[in-house]
Amino acid sequence: MTMKSSTRQVDGVTIVDLSGRITLGEGSVVLRETVRDLLSKGQKKILLNLGDVNYIDSSGIGELVSAFTTAKNQGGELKLLNLTKKVHDLLQITKLYTVFDVKDDEATAVKSFK
Amino acid sequence: MAADRVSYTLDSTLETVNNAEETAGRMAAEAGFDDEEIMKISMAVREAAVNAVLHGNAYDPSKKVTLAFERNDKDLVIVIRDQGKGLDASKIPDPLAPDNLMKTSGRGIFLIRSFMDEVEIKPSQTGTELRMIKHVHGNPADSKEALQ
């Protein structure tokens, strides 16, 4: 299954609901283009909902890092929401879990943006 | 149990990466690994296939990737070969080093080493051979036999 992405606005925060796989190829491209598109429209508070992302590979991890850095460099904030165990474990072993701002409740996550 | 061996010759395409991952998942399931171990094995094979297709063969249609699985009593042995310039694993930066943490690539070999029990990388002028082993623990078929 490839990746699907849809966005919605909640209190000034853009929530990106992702589902499927973030892997080399289509999945990584969809994520990259979605984040790039939001930033270009000035939507700089981005919450990536990974609750339905069941698989991510090293390219996908790289894409998350890239999205985080790109948002930060443009004065934005990108946070992660609802990690599955697989994605959580991957971010732990790659020591990225503490780099990302990870939330497990949408309302709290939305409020946490400045 | 006698050793079972199967090997595939694959094109240097993204499809190969997906096929390698799927095949590894199937082989791991047949070898009796649980869901978490199957995920680790299939992901290690995916990462190895990405290295072979992208970094080894650089999508060159004239170059092939070979993927072999061998199952014996103790191990699932997986070997992936490419026809690239040869990967010098000693030159791959540590992805956990603070300076490298925010890099967008360079985690594939690290993940393979994290997920498999033994990993050996043999570069040569005719390509790289990556050999990885997962020890078989508690094959359900074996435990069933043991209980009877």
Side-chain angles (χ1 to χ4, degrees):
Chain A
M1 182 184 155
T2 51
M3 198 178 81
K4 283 181 186 171
S5 156
S6 62
T7 59
R8 57 195 163 94
Q9 299 291 325
V10 179
D11 295 340
V13 174
T14 305
I15 302 176
V16 184
D17 296 306
L18 299 166
S19 62
R21 295 160 54 99
I22 309 177
T23 55
L24 178 72
E26 198 183 340
S28 291
V29 173
V30 169
L31 174 59
R32 190 183 318 154
E33 289 182 349
T34 302
V35 171
R36 196 178 291 171
D37 186 48
L38 291 173
L39 291 171
S40 73
K41 290 177 187 162
Q43 294 171 7
K44 295 185 176 179
K45 295 175 182 178
I46 302 169
L47 183 59
L48 295 183
N49 180 6
L50 302 178
D52 288 325
V53 171
N54 49 30
Y55 194 94
I56 185 165
D57 68 2
S58 67
S59 300
I61 295 172
E63 214 52 61
L64 285 179
V65 171
S66 174
F68 177 85
T69 308
T70 306
K72 197 175 175 184
N73 290 344
Q74 296 189 25
E77 271 189 291
L78 183 141
K79 302 183 183 194
L80 306 182
L81 175 67
N82 293 334
L83 301 189
T84 58
K85 185 181 180 299
K86 283 179 192 172
V87 176
H88 173 275
D89 290 352
L90 266 180
L91 293 186
Q92 285 278 16
I93 63 170
T94 51
K95 289 194 175 176
L96 288 168
Y97 189 78
T98 50
V99 171
F100 288 107
D101 194 347
V102 180
K103 306 288 183 191
D104 54 15
D105 173 72
E106 186 176 305
T108 311
V110 168
K111 281 182 193 163
S112 72
F113 282 86
K114 290 167 194 168
Chain B
M1 189 185 114
D4 294 323
R5 189 174 192 283
V6 58
S7 84
Y8 305 88
T9 301
L10 305 160
D11 292 330
S12 300
T13 62
L14 201 53
E15 198 182 353
T16 282
V17 172
N18 294 330
N19 287 343
E21 178 197 338
E22 281 175 26
T23 307
R26 205 171 57 243
M27 292 288 178
E30 284 172 11
F33 290 101
D34 65 24
D35 287 349
E36 192 170 339
E37 296 294 284
I38 291 168
M39 192 278 292
K40 288 179 178 174
I41 293 164
S42 60
M43 189 160 180
V45 170
R46 179 180 181 86
E47 296 294 341
V50 167
N51 278 345
V53 168
L54 261 77
H55 306 302
N57 292 351
Y59 289 118
D60 184 339
S62 70
K63 291 179 178 173
K64 301 291 179 188
V65 173
T66 58
L67 169 63
F69 297 87
E70 187 175 317
R71 163 84 203 279
N72 59 42
D73 290 338
K74 294 178 181 172
D75 301 318
L76 178 62
V77 182
I78 304 166
V79 180
I80 293 191
R81 287 190 195 89
D82 64 49
Q83 296 178 313
K85 291 177 184 171
L87 168 75
D88 184 352
S90 67
K91 289 187 178 166
I92 299 172
D94 174 10
L96 301 187
D99 285 351
N100 300 329
L101 215 51
M102 295 310 283
K103 287 192 174 168
T104 55
S105 61
R107 295 180 179 85
I109 296 290
F110 167 77
L111 290 177
I112 294 169
R113 290 192 195 281
S114 302
F115 291 156
M116 301 300 281
D117 293 320
E118 295 177 37
V119 177
E120 190 181 6
I121 300 168
K122 291 185 200 165
S124 76
Q125 288 182 337
T126 56
T128 301
E129 177 183 298
L130 193 151
R131 182 182 172 84
M132 48 193 156
I133 296 175
K134 193 77 175 173
H135 303 313
V136 177
H137 304 289
N139 182 336
D142 294 343
S143 0
K144 212 174 177 182
E145 212 172 272
L147 286 171
Q148 284 170 350

